[in-house]
């Protein structure tokens, strides 16, 4: 991460360094010619980003605090950087200076923090020597201009010599020792630019300081007052103060010129350079048209720089015919950047305080002028919009970004997501990894890491195989010490190619289609269409919906309308289930799955007794067909049972318009199921659909022979009639209650039952033509198995040898059968009640699955060959009478096997 951040710093190259005057103990002072510079660490004094208050010690008096008005009047100038570090420039000739013969100056200050106790006061005492005064000293500071000149007033001795030759001149009085001149300051003549006279008191009221010493005169004041005016000098605007001070002694007057001019402009900027121009010949201060430059120095914050330092820092100082030129690169280590907010945009300025010091002599003159200017320069604000660098690697699943760079005076305070604002600490507690990174040049940046799984990350699917992650947030920053606020939005977006899409698999058995849907990387972010139906909560419940974090499963019965019937054969129906996963917002398909299965079912059954059962199925090709409207050739023969998908017909071969024809040794019966309208018009109700015509045939052998053996033997017993053997139909059905009036149909299976819930089974023999009340149906054996295979293991007997299994804890109960409209011969019916249970060892089969099987015997109850034909549970009923069951032969009995539908335990 650190190398990436360094790259970001190279983009903006913002530089912040410590000031050149920084001291280890937090404060210091230096004598710089006619100035004293005092440096104070803001945290040392104030403990916050604020300058200290300045007090001056004048003997035993404490004067202060120094206000801006008093500072300009008395020669104090103060500048501070954004961190509260303060530079205090003090003229050696300030108001309260203690001087010795204008050569040594004692300065005593107190620096006090705002609102703090006095024990935190810091005292600065400094003695500065400045013996090399020139004829005129001009000092230009940021808040005042100052001119100090030698007034050259005559001493008492010189004055006595001057008047000695004047007739009638009064004698000069003697003065005390140490007084060099008896002249008194009378008035000041100012030219702004018009000439006017003011008294010293009036000049002081204007904010000017007027001071005189035994050798010098000093005037100090603001740049823009009524006694100053602006003048363009060689293209540089300057504030000019021209004045003359009038001294008098009795009948004599003495005039001293004191003028100053300070630049108020002359700075130009490029993207990389600051250029500062000063007039080479400051004409308002010259008595002639030109001057001779004797010395020229460049400095920073009042400190002269040598040539080597200037070259190392990229500074240059040179002269043209009309200007003294200083060039400084923006970003110099002697300056500093400052943050600003303009119209909520982040901007920066660069500030540096250069100094120029010149020594010149007017052409043709002998007096020298030392000219010193301290001129803080701040570049125009430059927009510095923060740069967002996205280092996100999609495969890692984490947003990684760097935001920067910023100056040290910028703090990240809040983050806004979806109009919810959090502090940095709150964001960190909510899963945002936010870190601040500082750099050697003083700038800093912020990094952020957020996983794709975070709730604030917006997830979208722009196409089937792509997941897009978006993080939209706003950073809130604070600029110190002004506490101005600015914002910066950042939108991170990345896309991940999804190689693990949602998928569908499936399988079939004889009754159901089993579907499994795996979510994939995108999770359950899709809609499921089963056949043509949207998988709602209600439909999911019907289809035994189960789910976990990775997938869900469905069980769709064959009878479901969502299974499309593709074709019909005599022994099976071919159905297809389509499953589509689609994006709910865009509507496109994520995946499509189709599974076709063959479901075993008897579509047509031709019975030897001349009855036909036919199952007409609605096909996918005729979606508008209503099977309930189908009829046979005879329109009066409708379905025995029908719904919106099936029509079941049951009729005799000599009815319902069935046709017959002979072919070779077989006889063929034919009929068909069609719509009534199709029989009349031969067209379907909807011309765009094919005509539905379900044709079915039954073929019977015309000539069939059997070999019968005959032999004569002595008759040992009396002959009896044998039980008839033939193609008889036995059915096993499950009644809905103990009344045995309403039964479940084949379409109702599989059924779901509770543990030990009663199951009411009815086993019946159907005789269509032949109705013999002497024939009896007896149940020989019943058992429960896991599936339709009657030979499968494990199994549990519920009826053994016609009687309830004595080992069964829930004994099977036989219910009596009485005649009614449906039951003409009770001997052909058997009703039993079994309690629902399940196999504990069912490992390879769905838990709770049970199928019941029975062997039924059709016999003559009067036959003595087998006790079973004497009635249901004959061995138990007759055992009390001592009658034992006799042996039986399979050939002597007609045995039919029947099974129930599939039942599930819940």
């Amino acid at each position: 991460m650190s190398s990436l951040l360094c790259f970001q710093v190279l983009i903006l190259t913002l530089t912040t360094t410590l000031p050149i005057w920084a001291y280890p103990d937090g404060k210091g002072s230096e004598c710089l010619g006619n100035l004293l510079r005092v440096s104070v660490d803001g945290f040392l004094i104030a403990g916050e980003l604020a300058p200290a208050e300045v007090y001056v010690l004048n003997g035993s008096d404490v004067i202060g605090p120094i206000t801006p008005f008093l500072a300009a009047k008395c020669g104090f100038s103060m500048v501070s950087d954004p961190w509260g570090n303060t530079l205090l420039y003090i003229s050696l000739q300030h108001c309260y200076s203690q001087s010795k013969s204008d050569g040594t100056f004692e300065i005593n200050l107190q620096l006090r923090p705002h609102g703090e106790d006095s024990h935190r006061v810091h005292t600065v005492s400094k003695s500065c020597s400045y013996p090399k005064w020139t004829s005129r000293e001009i000092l230009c500071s940021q808040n005042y201009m100052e001119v100090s000149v030698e007034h050259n007033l005559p001493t008492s001795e010189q004055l006595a010599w001057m008047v000695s030759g004047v007739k009638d001149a009064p004698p000069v009085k003697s003065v005390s020792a140490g007084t060099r001149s008896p002249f008194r300051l009378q008035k000041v003549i100012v030219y702004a630019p018009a000439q006017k006279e003011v008294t010293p008191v009036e000049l002081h009221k204007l904010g000017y300081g007027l001071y005189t010493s035994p050798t010098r005169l000093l005037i100090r004041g603001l740049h823009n007052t009524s006694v100053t005016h602006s003048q363009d000098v060689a293209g540089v605007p300057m504030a000019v103060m021209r004045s003359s001070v009038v001294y008098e002694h009795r009948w004599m007057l003495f005039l001293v010129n004191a003028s100053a001019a300070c630049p108020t402009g002359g700075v130009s900027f490029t993207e990389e350079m600051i250029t500062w121009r000063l007039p080479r010949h400051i004409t308002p201060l010259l008595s002639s048209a030109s001057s001779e430059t004797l010395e020229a120095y460049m400095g920073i914050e009042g400190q002269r720089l040598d040539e080597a330092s200037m070259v190392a820092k990229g500074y240059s100082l040179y002269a043209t015919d009309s200007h003294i030129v200083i060039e400084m690169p923006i970003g110099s280590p002697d300056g500093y950047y400052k943050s600003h907010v303009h119209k909520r945009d982040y901007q920066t300025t660069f500030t540096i305080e250069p100094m120029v010091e010149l020594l010149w002599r007017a052409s043709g003159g002998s007096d020298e002028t030392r000219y010193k200017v301290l001129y803080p320069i701040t570049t125009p604000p430059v927009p510095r919009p923060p740069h967002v660098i996205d280092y996100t690697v999609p495969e890692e699943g984490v947003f990684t970004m760097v935001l920067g760079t910023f100056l040290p005076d910028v703090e990240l305070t809040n983050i806004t997501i979806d109009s919810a604002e959090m502090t940095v600490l709150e964001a960190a507690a909510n899963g945002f990894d936010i870190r601040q990174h500082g750099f050697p040049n003083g700038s800093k940046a912020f990094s952020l890491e957020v996983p794709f799984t975070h709730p604030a990350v917006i997830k979208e699917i722009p196409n089937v195989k792509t997941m897009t992650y978006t993080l939209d947030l706003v950073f809130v920053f604070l600029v110190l010490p002004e506490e101005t606020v600015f914002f910066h939005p950042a939108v991170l977006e990345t896309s991940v190619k999804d190689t693990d899409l949602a998928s569908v698999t499936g399988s079939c058995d004889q009754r159901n289609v089993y579907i499994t849907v795996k979510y994939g990387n995108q999770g359950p972010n899709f809609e499921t269409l089963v056949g043509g139906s949207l998988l709602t909560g209600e439909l999911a419940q019907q289809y035994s919906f189960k789910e976990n974090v990775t997938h869900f499963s469905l069980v769709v019965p064959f009878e479901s309308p969502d299974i499309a019937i593709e074709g019909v054969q005599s022994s099976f129906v071919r159905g297809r289930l389509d499953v589509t996963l689609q994006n709910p917002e865009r509507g496109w398909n994520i995946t499509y799955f189709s599974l076709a299965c063959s479901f075993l079912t008897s579509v047509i059954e031709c019975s030897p007794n001349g009855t036909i059962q036919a199952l007409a199925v609605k096909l996918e090709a005729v979606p508008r067909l209503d099977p309930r409207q189908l009829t046979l050739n005879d329109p009066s023969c409708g379905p025995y049972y029908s719904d919106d998908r099936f029509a079941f017909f049951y009729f005799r071969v000599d009815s319902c318009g069935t046709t017959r024809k002979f072919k070779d040794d077989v006889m063929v019966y034919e009929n068909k199921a069609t719509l009534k309208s199709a029989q009349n018009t031969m067209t379907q109700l909807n011309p765009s659909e094919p005509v539905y015509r379900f044709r079915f045939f039954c073929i019977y052998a015309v000539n069939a022979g059997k070999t019968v053996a005959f032999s004569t033997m002595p008759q040992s017993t009396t002959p009896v009639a044998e039980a008839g053997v033939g193609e008889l139909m036995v059915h096993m059905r499950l009644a809905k209650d103990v009344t045995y009036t309403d039964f479940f149909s084949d379409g109702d299976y599989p059924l779901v039952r509770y543990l030990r819930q009663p199951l009411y089974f009815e086993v019946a023999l159907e005789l269509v033509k032949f109705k013999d009340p002497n024939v009896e149906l007896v149940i020989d054996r019943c058992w429960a198995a896991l599936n339709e295979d009657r030979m499968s293991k494990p199994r549990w007997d519920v009826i053994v040898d016609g009687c309830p299994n004595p080992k069964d804890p829930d004994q099977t109960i036989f219910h009596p059968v009485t005649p009614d409209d449906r039951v003409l011969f009770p001997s052909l019916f058997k009703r039993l009640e079994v309690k629902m249970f399940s196999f504990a060892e069912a490992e390879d089969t769905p838990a709770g699955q049970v199928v019941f099987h029975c062997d039924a015997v059709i016999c003559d109850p009067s036959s003595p060959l087998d006790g079973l034909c004497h009635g249901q549970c004959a061995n138990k009923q007759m055992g009390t009478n001592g009658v034992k069951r006799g042996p039986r032969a399979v050939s002597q009995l007609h045995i039919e096997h029947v099974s129930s539908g599939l039942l599930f335990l819940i």
Side-chain angles (χ1 to χ4, degrees), residues 440-452:
N441 66 357
S443 60
K444 60 185 175 183
F446 300 93
S447 66
L448 174 68
E449 291 187 358
V450 181
F452 291 172

Side-chain angles (χ1 to χ4, degrees), residues 4-14 384-389 391 404-405:
L4 300 178
L5 293 176
C6 289
F7 174 75
Q8 175 72 3
V9 173
L10 291 175
I11 295 177
L12 296 182
T13 60
L14 300 181
R384 297 285 189 185
H387 289 260
V388 175
I389 302 182
Y391 292 111
T405 56

Side-chain angles (χ1 to χ4, degrees), residues 76-138:
F76 292 84
S77 179
M78 183 183 296
V79 293
S80 298
D81 65 13
W83 304 275
N85 303 312
T86 301
L87 283 179
L88 182 63
Y89 298 100
I90 307 169
S91 171
L92 295 186
Q93 295 179 290
H94 67 87
C95 297
Y96 312 103
S97 175
Q98 305 293 322
S99 64
K100 298 179 181 179
S101 302
D102 289 337
T104 302
F105 300 85
E106 295 289 338
I107 302 173
N108 297 288
L109 304 175
Q110 282 186 351
L111 306 174
R112 302 181 184 180
H114 289 274
E116 295 289 339
D117 297 334
S118 59
H119 71 274
R120 295 196 59 192
V121 172
H122 294 262
T123 301
V124 177
S125 297
K126 189 72 173 179
S127 177
C128 294
S129 297
Y130 189 60
K132 297 181 180 180
W133 291 97
T134 59
S135 301
R136 179 169 55 181
E137 299 269 342
I138 296 177

Side-chain angles (χ1 to χ4, degrees), residues 189-216:
I189 303 173
V190 294
Y191 311 91
Q195 178 179 328
K196 66 178 180 179
E197 297 179 358
V198 294
T199 65
V201 174
E202 291 173 334
L203 193 65
H204 275 282
K205 289 181 179 180
L206 291 173
Y208 277 78
L210 179 61
Y211 310 97
T212 184
S213 70
T215 59
R216 304 189 70 83

Side-chain angles (χ1 to χ4, degrees), residues 18-19 138 205 437 466 537 540 613 642 676 796 843:
L18 292 175
I138 296 177
K205 289 181 179 180
H437 304 269
T466 303
Q613 300 178 58
S642 62
K676 295 179 181 180
W796 177 256
E843 298 180 356

